[in-house]
Amino acid sequence: MTTEFLRVTNLHAFYGESHILHGVDFSVNRGEVVTLLGRNGAGRTTTLKALLGLVGSRSGSVMINGREAIGLPPHRIARLGVGYCPEERGIYASLSTEENLSLPPLVGSGGIAAEELYAMFPNLAERRATQGTRLSGGEQQMLAVARILRTGARLLLLDEISEGLAPVIVQALARTVRTLRERGYTIVMVEQNFRFAAPLADRFYVMERGRIVDGFPAAALPAKMGMLHEFLGV
Amino acid sequence: MTEIFGFPVVVVLGQLVLGLVNGSFYAILSLGLAVIFGLMRVVNFAHGAFYALGAVTALLGLKLLGVNYWAALVLAPLVVGLLGILVERLLLRRLAGLDPLYGLLLTFGIALAIEGTLQQLFGSSGESYPVPEALRGALNLGFMILPRYRAWVIVASLAVCFGTWFVIERTRLGATLRAATENAPLLQAFGVNVPLLVALTYGGGVALAALAGVLAAPVILVNGTMGSSIVIVVFAVVVIGGMGSILGAIVSGLLLGLAEGLTKVVYPEASNIVVFVIMALVLVLRPAGLFGRE
C-alpha cells in the first residue's frame, strides 16, 4: 500500500521581489526516495527551503503527513517530522561535534540513538569534542545527516549531500541513504551528482525555471537518458 | 609603611577592592548587553533604565508590600524580565531584519520613557534602600575596612556571572542559544521555537540588569536616572570586551572596575575617563575587542 507523505500543490516562493518558484507540483510516498534533478538555478534548493518556510514568502499547498503546512512557521513544520540537511551543511562553529549532533530537538519517536549514529559514522565518534567546523568536509556532511536522524524525523530533505566530497565518502553516504530507505524513511534529495542519485532513487522529478517539467519512476530512467542529457548535460 | 611606586599599599589595595565592587556591576550589566546583542544584534540602550527599574521595583516592593531584600533579589528581576519579554514581543520584534539603527533608536526611546515615568512618579531626588540586616557591619581585611554589603556584591556578582557563563557555554540550552546566534533560520528549521528563544533572551538580559539594580540599591540613591550614567561606561565595557562576547563582557567589566580603582590612586582626576581612554586604545589596536572574533 502506498500512502502519500508529502504532496506539494501549486507552490510559489518569493525572495523579496523575485519570484523563484512558479507553481511546483509533486508528491512523495511514504518510504520513497525521490530526487529532484535540474540545472543550477532551476529552483530545487528553493523548493526544499519553501517546504520548510525558509523563503521570504510562499503560497500554494504543502501537505506533510496529512497536515497542511503552508501557514505554519518553520519550527512547527519541522515538528511534523521533517529533517533538513542544507546544501551548505550548516554545522555550527561555536558548538562541538557532540553539541551539533544533539542540537535539533526531537520531532518524532523512533529516532536513531546517538550511540548508534556514532557506530554508523565512526569518524564522528572519535571527534565528539572537536569544534564542529574543524571537521573535514566529509565529516561535516556526515554530521549534518546524522543530526537529523537522531530527531525521529521521517521525511528527510537532503540538499546536495555528495557535493564536493571524495569518492570514498560519497560511497559511504550512498550506503547510508540505502540503509535509511530500508528503514522506511521518506527522502527527497536534490542532487547535481547524477551518478550518485541514479541508483538510489525510486522516482525522479525534473525542474526547470521554478516548475516541475517531468516526473518518472526509476524503471523509466534508460528511456529518459536522452532528455536528461539535453536538460542536464549528464 | 610599604609602598608601590610611592603609593601606600593599603591605599592601592583599598581602591582595588572598591574598583572590584564597581567592576561587579559593570560585569553583570555588560553581560546582559552582550547576551542580547549576540542573539538579536540589538544595542539595548534601555539597559540602564531596566537597571533603575530593578532598583525601584525592589524599593517599592519593600515599602508597599514588605517584600524583603532577599525576595526582591529574585522577584524584581522576574518582574522586569517579564516586562522585557513584553517589550520584545510588542515592539522590538517588529524591527527584526531592519537596520540595527532602528533597534538602537527604539530602545533609546524606551529608556527615555521608563526614566521619565519613574521621575514623574517618584521625583528625581532619590531614596535609599536599607542594607539588609545580615549584611550590615564591616569586615576588617587588614588593609581596609570593607562594608559587608560590598563584599556581598562582589561574591554575588561573580556567582551570577559564572552561572550565566556556565549556562551559555556548558548546557544544552546554552548550545541552542549559541546556535541561534550563529544561524537562527536553520535552527528554527530543526524545530526550535526561535521567536520564543529571542523573547526569553531579551527578558533574561534585561532581568540581569534588574538584578544589578537590586544589588546596587543599598549602596546608591535609587531614582529613575541612576542607570543613565553607568550605562555609558557599560557600553564602553562591552566594546572593549568584544560585542557579543560573554567571557569578554565579564572579564573586561571586572578589569575596568580595577583600572578605575587604580586610577583613583594614581591620578584621581582621570578616574572617570580611564575607561573611555582604554576603549579608544582597544578600538585602534583591536577593533573587534579583547575577546571578539572578527
Side-chain angles (χ1 to χ4, degrees), chain B residues 15-290:
Chain B
Q15 286 299 340
L16 283 180
V17 171
L18 292 180
L20 201 56
V21 175
N22 284 335
S24 300
F25 290 117
Y26 297 161
I28 300 188
L29 285 167
S30 55
L31 183 59
L33 275 180
V35 170
I36 291 171
F37 181 81
L39 182 57
M40 302 169 67
R41 302 282 129 185
V42 166
V43 179
N44 186 32
F45 257 81
H47 218 63
F50 286 115
Y51 163 77
L53 211 50
V56 170
T57 306
L59 190 61
L60 283 183
L62 181 70
K63 281 173 42 173
L64 303 180
L65 304 168
V67 176
N68 72 20
Y69 173 83
W70 304 103
L73 220 43
V74 177
L75 292 178
L78 209 62
V79 170
V80 175
L82 287 174
L83 185 72
I85 290 175
L86 219 57
V87 165
E88 197 283 332
R89 288 243 134 171
L90 297 178
L91 301 170
L92 270 175
R93 171 148 310 177
R94 293 162 201 275
L95 302 180
L98 296 180
D99 191 310
L101 199 57
Y102 287 98
L104 194 151
L105 286 172
L106 175 65
T107 53
F108 187 62
I110 292 169
L112 292 178
I114 292 176
E115 288 175 358
T117 307
L118 292 178
Q119 227 167 341
Q120 180 68 29
L121 292 176
F122 309 109
S124 50
S125 55
E127 236 178 287
S128 55
Y129 188 100
V131 174
E133 201 79 52
L135 297 172
R136 286 186 193 154
L139 302 170
N140 189 347
L141 300 182
F143 55 89
M144 72 180 295
I145 304 292
L146 180 67
R148 267 175 206 276
Y149 188 80
R150 289 177 196 252
W152 154 250
V153 166
I154 297 175
V155 172
S157 308
L158 289 178
V160 167
C161 289
F162 175 77
T164 309
W165 174 86
F166 186 86
V167 167
I168 291 175
E169 297 296 335
R170 291 286 181 272
T171 67
R172 201 183 140 76
L173 174 68
T176 306
L177 204 65
R178 277 177 282 140
T181 302
E182 220 180 302
N183 181 350
L186 180 62
L187 187 68
Q188 198 176 358
F190 285 149
V192 174
N193 190 342
V194 170
L196 180 67
L197 189 68
V198 169
L200 292 177
T201 300
Y202 190 75
V206 156
L208 279 174
L211 179 66
V214 182
L215 278 176
V219 289
I220 55 165
L221 276 181
V222 176
N223 65 29
T225 51
M226 65 184 245
S228 54
S229 54
I230 192 172
V231 81
I232 306 283
V233 177
V234 169
F235 275 116
V237 170
V238 172
V239 171
I240 292 166
M243 300 290 283
S245 164
I246 303 302
L247 196 60
I250 298 171
V251 172
S252 51
L254 295 170
L255 284 181
L256 288 165
L258 291 175
E260 270 188 357
L262 212 54
T263 315
K264 276 189 183 131
V265 180
V266 180
Y267 185 55
E269 291 83 348
S271 64
N272 286 331
I273 60 159
V274 63
V275 169
F276 302 101
V277 172
I278 294 174
M279 178 180 82
L281 286 174
V282 167
L283 282 177
V284 170
L285 300 173
R286 236 186 110 81
L290 296 178

Side-chain angles (χ1 to χ4, degrees), chain A:
Chain A
M1 184 187 111
T2 58
T3 49
E4 263 178 11
F5 198 87
L6 171 69
R7 165 157 290 278
V8 178
T9 315
N10 196 26
L11 180 62
H12 290 256
F14 305 81
Y15 284 110
E17 294 288 298
S18 17
H19 192 172
I20 312 289
L21 299 183
H22 299 265
V24 171
D25 297 286
F26 71 100
S27 65
V28 182
N29 292 324
R30 194 179 295 276
E32 209 178 21
V33 177
V34 163
T35 297
L36 303 182
L37 300 170
R39 291 194 186 94
N40 277 334
R44 298 166 304 151
T45 291
T46 305
T47 300
L48 296 191
K49 289 190 168 179
L51 295 181
L52 287 161
L54 292 178
V55 290
S57 65
R58 56 186 195 148
S59 69
S61 166
V62 175
M63 298 290 292
I64 298 171
N65 203 10
R67 301 268 300 277
E68 178 57 72
I70 197 75
L72 299 179
H75 60 274
R76 299 275 307 279
I77 298 174
R79 289 176 182 274
L80 297 175
V82 185
Y84 174 49
C85 179
E87 186 175 8
E88 70 283 1
R89 297 174 192 141
I91 300 303
Y92 288 96
S94 53
L95 274 61
S96 68
T97 299
E98 190 154 29
E99 285 175 326
N100 266 287
L101 187 67
S102 57
L103 177 70
L106 299 185
V107 297
S109 54
I112 303 176
E115 287 314 312
E116 193 181 345
L117 288 169
Y118 284 128
M120 278 170 81
F121 304 103
N123 292 30
L124 299 182
E126 291 163 22
R127 312 203 60 184
R128 284 178 200 219
T130 307
Q131 183 194 342
T133 44
R134 293 250 168 96
L135 299 179
S136 72
E139 288 165 343
Q140 287 191 31
Q141 188 62 67
M142 288 173 182
L143 179 54
V145 172
R147 74 179 163 187
I148 55 172
L149 300 180
R150 213 197 94 260
T151 65
R154 299 306 296 173
L155 171 63
L156 308 181
L157 309 178
L158 308 180
D159 197 348
E160 299 279 12
I161 59 168
S162 72
E163 191 179 30
L165 298 178
V168 58
I169 297 178
V170 173
Q171 283 161 21
L173 285 167
R175 279 196 301 277
T176 305
V177 172
R178 253 185 227 109
T179 308
L180 296 176
R181 188 171 159 239
E182 282 159 16
R183 290 191 177 201
Y185 282 86
T186 307
I187 300 175
V188 180
M189 289 197 298
V190 164
E191 269 302 328
Q192 200 65 32
N193 183 346
F194 185 72
R195 283 160 183 271
F196 173 76
L200 296 176
D202 298 303
R203 279 194 303 130
F204 298 87
Y205 285 102
V206 182
M207 286 197 78
E208 181 71 8
R209 294 182 191 171
R211 286 186 185 84
I212 301 278
V213 293
D214 198 5
F216 50 87
L221 196 57
K224 292 284 184 180
M225 284 311 290
M227 184 273 291
L228 290 176
H229 206 77
E230 197 179 310
F231 251 104
L232 313 170
V234 293

